[in-house]
Amino acid sequence: MKTTLPNPAGIISSAGAHALRCVHCGVVQATTDRMFRCHECSELVEVIYPEWSGAGREFGLRLKEIWRERKASTLPEDQSGVWRFRELLPQVDGKHIVTMCEGNTPLLRLTAAARALGLPNLMVKHQGMNPTGSFKDTGISAAISVARSQGFSIVCCASTGNTSASVAAYAARAGIKSIVLLPAGQVTSGKLAQALEYGAHVLQLHTDFDGCLTVLHEVVNKFPAYLLNSLNPYRLEGQKTVAFEMMEQLDWQAPDHVIVPGGNLANSSALGKGFLELQQLGLIRSLPKISIIQAAGANPLVRTMRENGGTELIRVNAETRATAIRIGNPASWRKAATILKTTGGACEDVTEKEIAQAKAELGAEGVGCEPASAATLAGLKKLVHAGFVKAGESAVLVLTGHMLKDVDYMLSDQVKRVYGPMDAAPATVIKTLETIYAGN
Ligand code: F0G
């Protein structure tokens, strides 16, 4: 068959040239308003790449080679699990790239959970192994590099904690000031401490995440600050690279299912965009079904899909101990609904008890994560039970945050398993150990 691309090298050099397209009305524009919304209908926009879309498999195969070769390179952008894939990212001059080797996260096989669910190919992609301990780093590296290339000296975000930690760190690396708005009393101490340590201006507000995001609109309209929430489409370009990395790790065989937790609902669509682009370039044959799991107390997408098929968002008052996904009015719900439909994924919610149970099971396999991430295993169990995920199918759970992000959560559940405090006498310790051995 004749290739549509006589000169892949030529395309590769200009590959990152991009435009922004409205996800609702489809209007293509070069710029948007300061909240990254469409000039015509105010919906969110996505990044598109007219230069290489339609380039086909020859281009894709060349990229695969280049990406593999870069693994041996010592250039900072080649050591980044985001910028190594830069042909499929917005073009940013190398001197503006802000990177801390983000991405490069492990894909681990589960054993006990795999056996229990009849899924021998059950894996986790551990995005909690990023520099600040969450998947946010891949997106923030991309978006803050764009901010820097556009000359911004202040960046800002509203956050349930992980975005703020990541924004604070990457801003510090870039020599840029950061302002973060947090819902007072609803962010774990670990995440709050990160933002402070990295030198962010931290404003705690008497509201929830959704309230913080509303205030942020005003801030961005009033001050020349660059918005780094996931409304920012460049964030999603960084986040989509997890799909590229996962496919390299699976030798370009897409799994049947990929399962992500859903909060503000951008990550699911970023992941979906990554897989769609690989399919477009002929690098994977089939798309995985991307399923989204929410906490039962913060389940606006689940209700929206169930009650009106994804046409109009049903907001909820969010409440869950999985504070990362305590969001009732998710900004990117439309993108998430589209990806569910495009890939044929499911949307499910899980109780607090199911999340805690799943988290403990992952922990018992030596895989720590924060509660929001454990929702994926809890959701998978429901999807297996419902027959949506079938015996023998392959599945990857995206673990979005590191276990040390929320130590209080674990201690409240696990502290009963600690022996003592007890006498520091060897006899006392030995006596206790004898009961442990006896129970073996
Ligand atoms: N998991 C973790 C650990 C998160 O921190 C978040 C979102 C999500 C899942 C949900 O991802 O919003 O793209 O659906 N945390 C944001 C924050 C809201 O501010 O850190 P999403």
Side-chain angles (χ1 to χ4, degrees):
M1 205 179 81
K2 253 191 123 188
T3 171
T4 51
L5 185 67
N7 177 13
I11 293 242
I12 284 171
S13 64
S14 62
H18 69 277
L20 299 170
R21 181 174 61 197
C22 175
V23 296
H24 189 50
C25 73
V27 162
V28 175
Q29 45 206 307
T31 58
T32 54
D33 70 9
R34 309 271 315 280
M35 293 299 291
F36 298 106
R37 288 190 178 271
C38 170
H39 291 317
E40 297 290 324
C41 74
S42 299
E43 259 298 336
L44 296 180
V45 296
E46 63 180 347
V47 177
I48 55 165
Y49 301 90
E51 294 283 337
W52 62 256
S53 57
R57 190 165 153 77
E58 191 193 336
F59 177 57
L61 291 176
R62 179 75 189 103
L63 288 182
K64 231 164 102 171
E65 269 171 47
I66 293 175
W67 296 340
R68 196 181 310 120
E69 282 161 16
R70 283 186 186 143
K71 284 187 171 179
S73 158
T74 55
L75 271 183
E77 54 265 46
D78 290 344
Q79 293 192 347
S80 162
V82 170
W83 295 100
R84 191 158 63 80
F85 304 104
R86 55 189 169 273
E87 288 75 17
L88 304 192
L89 296 178
Q91 234 163 17
V92 174
D93 193 299
K95 68 176 186 286
H96 295 306
I97 288 179
V98 190
T99 173
M100 291 197 271
C101 285
E102 53 288 317
N104 299 310
T105 59
L107 183 76
L108 308 171
R109 268 179 191 279
L110 295 181
T111 49
R115 218 176 303 119
L117 291 169
L119 302 173
N121 288 315
L122 176 58
M123 290 154 279
V124 298
K125 176 70 174 155
H126 207 326
Q127 294 294 88
M129 301 300 187
N130 268 289
T132 76
S134 86
F135 73 100
K136 306 289 180 177
D137 293 339
T138 53
I140 298 300
S141 173
I144 211 162
S145 301
V146 172
R148 201 194 212 183
S149 71
Q150 293 179 2
F152 280 90
S153 57
I154 300 182
V155 294
C156 63
C157 70
S159 181
T160 57
N162 279 328
T163 299
S164 53
S166 183
V167 165
Y170 278 81
R173 296 294 298 166
I176 289 176
K177 278 199 177 74
S178 62
I179 299 168
V180 307
L181 307 188
L182 303 180
Q186 297 171 32
V187 172
T188 69
S189 51
K191 297 174 188 177
L192 178 60
Q194 282 184 292
L196 294 169
E197 180 84 359
Y198 298 133
H201 296 276
V202 176
L203 279 71
Q204 299 197 76
L205 310 186
H206 285 301
T207 179
D208 54 12
F209 169 82
D210 303 303
C212 288
L213 201 51
T214 306
V215 174
L216 194 69
H217 278 71
E218 302 297 320
V219 172
V220 172
N221 281 331
K222 198 130 187 117
F223 297 98
Y226 188 82
L227 175 92
L228 279 177
N229 274 92
S230 53
L231 304 165
N232 181 324
Y234 299 111
R235 274 260 319 259
L236 306 200
E237 294 308 289
Q239 286 171 216
K240 79 183 179 188
T241 58
V242 66
F244 307 162
E245 207 177 271
M246 194 193 298
M247 285 305 86
E248 280 186 334
Q249 289 165 316
L250 287 174
D251 209 12
W252 304 94
Q253 300 297 313
D256 298 305
H257 298 273
V258 177
I259 302 182
V260 279
N264 213 21
L265 293 175
N267 198 35
S268 39
S269 67
L271 193 70
K273 189 171 191 285
F275 282 111
L276 281 163
E277 289 177 357
L278 292 182
Q279 192 187 41
Q280 201 183 336
L281 291 169
L283 292 180
I284 55 171
R285 277 211 196 90
S286 58
L287 288 176
K289 292 188 172 73
I290 296 180
S291 294
I292 302 173
I293 312 298
Q294 298 196 296
N299 64 352
L301 187 68
V302 175
R303 289 199 51 194
T304 299
M305 299 309 289
R306 266 185 209 150
E307 293 172 35
N308 63 38
T311 50
E312 203 177 323
L313 178 68
I314 298 173
R315 298 173 193 184
V316 304
N317 284 323
E319 191 50 76
T320 170
R321 282 175 74 206
T323 51
I325 51 174
R326 194 175 190 264
I327 296 172
N329 183 17
S332 298
W333 71 272
R334 203 184 281 282
K335 287 186 179 180
T338 303
I339 221 63
L340 284 176
K341 287 178 195 161
T342 310
T343 68
C347 189
E348 202 35 274
D349 55 7
V350 288
T351 64
E352 298 295 301
K353 212 171 151 195
E354 288 166 334
I355 293 175
Q357 173 72 24
K359 185 168 149 47
E361 286 167 11
L362 286 165
E365 292 210 34
V367 178
C369 65
E370 66 168 292
S373 311
T376 55
L377 177 59
L380 174 67
K381 290 188 203 174
K382 282 186 101 168
L383 296 178
V384 168
H385 193 69
F388 181 79
V389 175
K390 297 179 185 57
E393 285 189 322
S394 55
V396 177
L397 309 175
V398 181
L399 301 186
T400 44
H402 196 281
M403 81 190 282
L404 296 177
K405 289 281 192 172
D406 195 349
V407 174
D408 292 341
Y409 182 98
M410 285 180 288
L411 286 180
S412 65
D413 280 11
Q414 305 278 20
V415 80
K416 54 187 174 296
R417 295 179 49 216
V418 183
Y419 297 89
M422 64 179 84
D423 263 356
T428 316
V429 175
I430 286 166
K431 202 164 159 222
T432 307
L433 290 179
E434 275 168 0
T435 63
I436 295 172
Y437 273 78
N440 244 343

